[in-house]
Amino acid sequence: RPSDPSNIDEAYILNQTKDWEIDNQFDSFRIRGEQLRLYFKDNAIADIDLKTGSGLLEYKRKVPFLGHTMFLHKTTNNFWIWYSDIFGAAMLLIAITGMLIPAGKYGFANRGWKLAVLVMLFPLIFLFILA
């Protein structure tokens, strides 16, 4: 346990975790209040209480398809978290309202389903380009 949390850096963490029996490579860390969170490759996360020094190591199984979007929320930048959540909600709203287009020449059966698929594909294209 460090006496001053501001002294925690990557070198300190690598030194402290070298005796842990973990096969995953260290990725990054963050400190929020009295909590230290360590991220390891392949979805291993360690939460450590900086006051007591006790912690918990978790291995998370990546859910197919949806699990790939998790890395977007692994940032400490609150702007990105809010932006991505609002953008996702807007995409869902557009897709749902696209299904409510009235019947007829421009209804969901003729044109609306194409627009709904297009709106759902747009963020997926960015996900696969940025991944």
Side-chain angles (χ1 to χ4, degrees):
R1 219 171 57 211
S3 58
D4 183 12
S6 65
N7 292 337
I8 297 176
D9 60 1
E10 188 171 338
Y12 176 84
I13 292 171
L14 290 173
N15 185 40
Q16 294 297 315
T17 59
K18 66 183 175 188
D19 294 333
W20 291 9
E21 293 180 10
I22 182 170
D23 296 331
N24 303 54
Q25 180 184 2
F26 175 73
D27 185 20
S28 63
F29 73 97
R30 77 160 189 237
I31 299 174
R32 284 192 179 163
E34 295 295 324
Q35 288 289 103
L36 170 66
R37 178 168 275 189
L38 306 176
Y39 295 100
F40 296 90
K41 300 287 184 187
D42 298 325
N43 292 328
I45 297 173
D47 286 316
I48 301 169
D49 187 338
L50 292 175
K51 285 184 179 178
T52 64
S54 64
L56 177 67
L57 179 62
E58 293 182 57
Y59 291 92
K60 298 188 180 208
R61 181 178 60 90
K62 189 180 280 191
V63 178
F65 180 70
L66 293 177
H68 297 289
T69 62
M70 185 180 75
F71 81 94
L72 294 173
H73 288 278
K74 278 187 161 183
T75 180
T76 56
N77 184 343
N78 285 330
F79 172 77
W80 171 250
I81 292 171
W82 278 100
Y83 174 80
S84 61
D85 288 345
I86 292 169
F87 185 80
M91 292 294 110
L92 286 173
L93 180 67
I94 290 171
I96 291 168
T97 56
M99 292 187 293
L100 301 176
I101 295 173
K105 182 178 176 184
Y106 300 112
F108 185 77
N110 291 328
R111 186 177 81 165
W113 71 270
K114 296 173 190 173
L115 295 174
V117 169
L118 180 65
V119 166
M120 288 187 269
L121 285 177
F122 185 73
L124 293 176
I125 291 169
F126 280 101
L127 174 67
F128 292 118
I129 289 174
L130 298 175

